Amino acid sequence: MCGIVAAVADGNIVPLLIEGLTRLEYRGYDSAGLALRDDTSGKLTRFRSIGRVADLAEQSKNHTATSSIAHTRWATHGAPSERNAHPHMSGGIAVVHNGIIENYVALREMLRAQGYVFSSDTDTEVIVHLIVHLAKTTPDLFTAVAQTCKQLEGIYAIAVIREGDNCVVVSRHGAPLLLGLGEHGNYAASDASALLSVTRKIVYLEEGDVAEISLAGIRAVDAGDTPLKIGIDRPIHISTLSAAEVEKGDYAHFMQKEIFEQPEVLAATLEMIGGAQSLSPNIFGASAPEVFADVNAVLILACGTSFHSGLVARYWIEQLAGIPCTVEIASEYRYRVSVPNPRQLVVAISQSGETADTLASIKFAKSLGMGKTLALCNAPESAIVRECALRFLTRAGKEIGVASTKAFTTQLAALFLLAITLGKIGGRVSAKDEAEYLKDLRHLPLAVQKVLALEPAIKIWAQRFADKHHALFLGRGLHYPIALEGALKLKEISYIHAEGYPAGELKHGPLALVDENMPVISIAPNDALLSKLKSNLEEVASRSGELYVFADADSAIIESARVHVLRLPEHYGLLSPVLHVVALQLFSYHVALVKGTDIDKPRNLAKSVTVE
Ligand code: M6R
């Protein structure tokens, strides 16, 4: 989604802004822009581009400035075009904005009636005209921005600059924004990675905070206009993000790097189990033992790939803990009438911790009286983590490729720990079983490593596959969600239309699609459902369908001209989905590579979906 970088420093900050925007490219964008304040004249110069950040760098390369704001835009209101790109300007003020202003139509009418002329199709433009309007009767930009924010409904993170003022004013509500405190200046950004080259000292702004950044320091108030002491009311965090995490190294794409990091990040996520034979519920938070003891059901809320990890967890939780588990797409749950159960553990799963629908769904569950909330997240200080009573932080590290890979498998590892913990508390997982499950988890990184070694064979499949236009993914039981995830990965980065189905559903509809042009990818672990699955595969083969089967070493599926089989090194019981999904990630990656798509930044998609 959109990204913001803003800076006030004692030297030229244009290269920093360009670098910061480049680091935010992974979030997804379709245009970019910046407003520089000329140090001598105090005037603002704006550059906008519907190309990549590199175009903006080219446009602005002969300019210098010590205070400025910059933006990458992911279009919501108004097509991707130069006139809709940020910053938006009016009366010597420039604004960049992440989010959506829901009452922009009413504000636009009010401002038009006052004589303001709109030059874009965006919701954002009302912000700049409103600041200009209010600045006529307020002592400074800071106050005008604070007053403007009180009239905005919806989601925003904004940065504002004015001709003649040597400061930047920022505010946030619903969208992330943080401050960076540096030796040579002060900064703001929507993501700490944008500021990595100048500071690790980060201050997270809270809902409704307004802050003025200048060389002299930070002046800030909260949503109720109470002055804030930075470092006390808003603590300073030292970011542990490493430069290597945001660079590709020897890999061709972030997605490939992130796929290959999985053994390491799984080991990091599972580090706390060490050599233990038994788990403490405290790994989910200090009050987890008490909260879990009273839980009689689980509700998982998530979107996209995180939703798929929730679907796998449902099988684990119901089998190991014997309590009902429901998994809902967050954007659906938040708007439907449901039956609240205050004893239900509500689990929000999110890589970014910023997904607007997941955040809103947790708030909605709480408003229905469900206070037993757990965030399972990869971003420690994110809004979703802060919203929940309990937390488990996966240690996937920064995930830059839009297609989620290592975040998914680390979520699965964490959810397996949750299932064991709930099973133990409910008396269904014995000490012996628990020790076995922990042993399996400890071996998981090595098992994944062996799957990664299949890359050369997967590449050959990918070459055969790249001219296809459609694909069906089939799985059963625990591997049905993996079929959904395999299909999502393929469509996301290769733009091949793909659908995931539980194999038993085939003859209830999708079998009608099967012919020689509809390849069927099947996940065939050697589990209790294998014989059923084989019958489903026969149904495909006898209709001239071409099968690509990801089987376990001992699945005994026979190859033929139209049945291709790739054997994973070992069958891994309940944790088998973690291995099979890695093979599917590699498959999608290599299909996309052959097709030549923009793998890390697929068209129309954003890494963090901070709007509805
Ligand atoms: O950050 P989140 O885990 O909340 O994101 C949820 C989805 O937007 C995300 O998983 C999306 O589906 C990915 N692009 C899938 O690869």
Side-chain angles (χ1 to χ4, degrees):
M1 294 256 123
C2 307
I4 290 177
V5 196
V8 182
D10 60 11
N12 179 21
I13 42 99
V14 178
L16 163 74
L17 294 174
I18 296 294
E19 184 194 326
L21 289 185
T22 306
R23 289 198 192 276
L24 294 181
E25 281 188 302
Y26 79 95
R27 294 169 70 94
Y29 72 105
D30 40 51
S31 57
L34 55 94
L36 306 176
R37 184 171 35 223
D38 186 280
D39 291 334
T40 320
S41 67
K43 296 268 181 231
L44 298 181
T45 310
R46 173 171 64 177
F47 300 97
R48 296 188 290 182
S49 164
I50 53 164
R52 297 271 122 186
V53 172
D55 297 333
L56 205 60
E58 189 56 32
Q59 283 184 46
S60 58
K61 69 180 181 199
N62 296 324
H63 293 258
T64 61
T66 54
S67 55
S68 192
I69 56 176
H71 192 256
T72 47
R73 172 175 189 254
W74 188 84
T76 57
H77 294 60
S81 64
E82 194 172 317
R83 68 193 283 272
N84 289 332
H86 301 204
H88 289 285
M89 290 180 69
S90 172
I93 292 180
V95 169
V96 293
H97 164 226
N98 294 354
I100 291 176
I101 303 303
E102 288 176 358
N103 60 337
Y104 81 99
V105 174
L107 288 173
R108 193 176 56 196
E109 291 322 301
M110 181 276 282
L111 288 159
R112 274 191 177 140
Q114 301 283 338
Y116 292 92
V117 177
F118 283 74
S119 56
S120 78
D121 312 313
T122 66
D123 52 333
T124 300
E125 199 180 343
V126 296
I127 305 176
V128 69
H129 292 307
L130 192 55
I131 296 172
V132 170
H133 189 60
L134 294 171
K136 289 177 182 163
T137 51
T138 46
D140 55 17
L141 182 64
F142 181 85
T143 316
V145 172
Q147 287 190 4
T148 297
C149 290
K150 292 193 175 28
Q151 296 195 35
L152 301 179
E153 289 168 18
I155 290 178
Y156 59 84
I158 55 171
V160 188
I161 194 169
R162 179 163 74 174
E163 283 182 4
D165 285 355
N166 208 11
C167 65
V168 171
V169 180
V170 299
S171 182
R172 70 164 285 261
H173 177 80
L177 194 71
L178 50 85
L179 307 179
L181 313 180
E183 280 180 22
H184 296 283
N186 291 309
Y187 312 89
S190 43
D191 185 322
S193 60
L195 304 180
L196 209 54
S197 63
V198 279
T199 187
R200 289 181 174 280
K201 288 168 86 178
I202 299 299
V203 174
Y204 293 97
L205 292 179
E206 295 197 357
E207 298 288 86
D209 286 355
V210 182
E212 180 188 274
I213 305 163
S214 69
L215 263 186
I218 310 283
R219 163 190 175 199
V221 295
D222 67 11
D225 294 327
T226 306
L228 295 168
K229 287 198 180 68
I230 298 297
I232 297 171
D233 302 313
R234 299 288 177 266
I236 297 170
H237 299 262
I238 305 300
S239 167
T240 54
L241 196 63
S242 76
E245 276 182 84
V246 290
E247 277 155 21
K248 284 200 287 269
D250 292 336
Y251 290 95
H253 295 93
F254 280 108
M255 181 179 179
Q256 188 189 26
K257 175 179 178 242
E258 287 157 6
I259 291 172
F260 277 85
E261 278 172 353
Q262 288 178 108
E264 189 190 328
V265 297
L266 279 166
T269 299
L270 294 167
E271 191 182 26
M272 94 284 286
I273 66 175
Q277 303 294 302
S278 161
L279 278 178
S280 162
N282 287 311
I283 57 174
F284 298 96
S287 58
E290 190 192 326
V291 173
F292 288 178
D294 187 45
V295 161
N296 68 357
V298 176
L299 168 64
I300 297 178
L301 301 170
C303 303
T305 287
S306 297
F307 171 70
H308 296 155
S309 71
L311 289 177
V312 175
R314 178 173 62 183
Y315 289 85
W316 287 337
I317 290 171
E318 297 211 346
Q319 180 171 339
L320 299 187
I323 52 177
C325 177
T326 318
V327 192
E328 284 217 39
I329 289 185
S331 56
E332 287 297 312
Y333 175 75
R334 63 182 288 198
Y335 290 117
R336 81 180 179 87
V337 178
S338 53
V339 181
N341 169 6
R343 290 186 58 202
Q344 198 165 29
L345 177 68
V346 186
V347 184
I349 307 176
S350 175
Q351 183 282 129
S352 61
E354 290 177 16
T355 303
D357 283 317
T358 309
L359 178 61
S361 71
I362 272 286
K363 290 183 176 168
F364 180 63
K366 284 168 72 177
S367 75
L368 297 178
M370 294 194 280
K372 298 180 195 303
T373 51
L374 165 66
L376 212 146
C377 195
N378 193 41
E381 294 299 328
S382 59
I384 289 175
V385 168
R386 282 183 278 149
E387 194 62 40
C388 291
L390 302 172
R391 65 178 63 180
F392 184 98
L393 298 175
T394 51
R395 289 174 58 192
K398 191 98 191 148
E399 190 177 69
I400 299 217
V402 163
S404 190
T405 53
K406 61 178 181 170
F408 180 70
T409 46
T410 51
Q411 285 168 355
L412 289 179
L415 287 161
F416 195 66
L417 292 175
L418 179 65
I420 301 172
T421 305
L422 293 174
K424 201 167 85 154
I425 290 174
R428 284 175 60 110
V429 169
S430 68
K432 181 167 163 288
D433 289 344
E434 184 183 10
E436 277 302 311
Y437 291 140
L438 292 180
K439 193 168 135 219
D440 290 347
L441 279 170
R442 275 192 286 273
H443 179 61
L444 194 57
L446 194 61
V448 168
Q449 193 73 54
K450 291 187 198 162
V451 178
L452 292 172
L454 297 175
E455 192 183 31
I458 291 176
K459 268 187 193 172
I460 296 170
W461 274 21
Q463 267 147 11
R464 279 194 220 143
F465 209 86
D467 63 344
K468 309 286 185 221
H469 296 289
H470 307 276
L472 280 179
F473 282 70
L474 301 180
R476 291 196 76 134
L478 271 174
H479 297 82
Y480 158 49
I482 299 305
L484 294 177
E485 175 60 9
L488 177 61
K489 285 287 90 88
L490 188 69
K491 64 186 136 192
E492 219 176 358
I493 57 167
S494 75
Y495 315 146
I496 293 175
H497 169 233
E499 300 296 335
Y501 267 97
E505 272 291 291
L506 200 58
K507 55 175 108 32
H508 299 287
L511 195 56
L513 295 170
V514 171
D515 62 11
E516 61 282 5
N517 298 316
M518 172 61 84
V520 176
I521 296 166
S522 177
I523 306 146
N526 190 11
D527 62 13
L529 291 168
L530 183 61
S531 58
K532 304 271 178 214
L533 181 82
K534 281 183 179 170
S535 309
N536 303 139
L537 300 189
E538 287 296 334
E539 291 158 10
V540 173
S542 56
R543 282 158 185 88
S544 310
E546 186 169 23
L547 280 157
Y548 291 79
V549 187
F550 287 88
D552 285 345
D554 49 2
S555 283
I557 290 176
I558 299 161
E559 285 198 72
S560 66
R562 295 193 57 86
V563 181
H564 315 290
V565 184
L566 205 140
R567 296 182 200 279
L568 270 67
E570 56 188 312
H571 176 59
Y572 216 63
L574 286 178
L575 288 166
S576 167
V578 185
L579 303 195
H580 276 272
V581 81
V582 171
L584 294 180
Q585 293 166 351
L586 278 173
F587 177 66
S588 296
Y589 172 76
H590 282 290
V591 173
L593 195 63
V594 177
K595 291 197 70 179
T597 57
D598 191 349
I599 293 180
D600 286 331
K601 297 187 280 284
R603 66 185 181 204
N604 305 336
L605 298 183
K607 182 66 186 165
S608 299
V609 185
T610 50
V611 295
E612 267 194 69

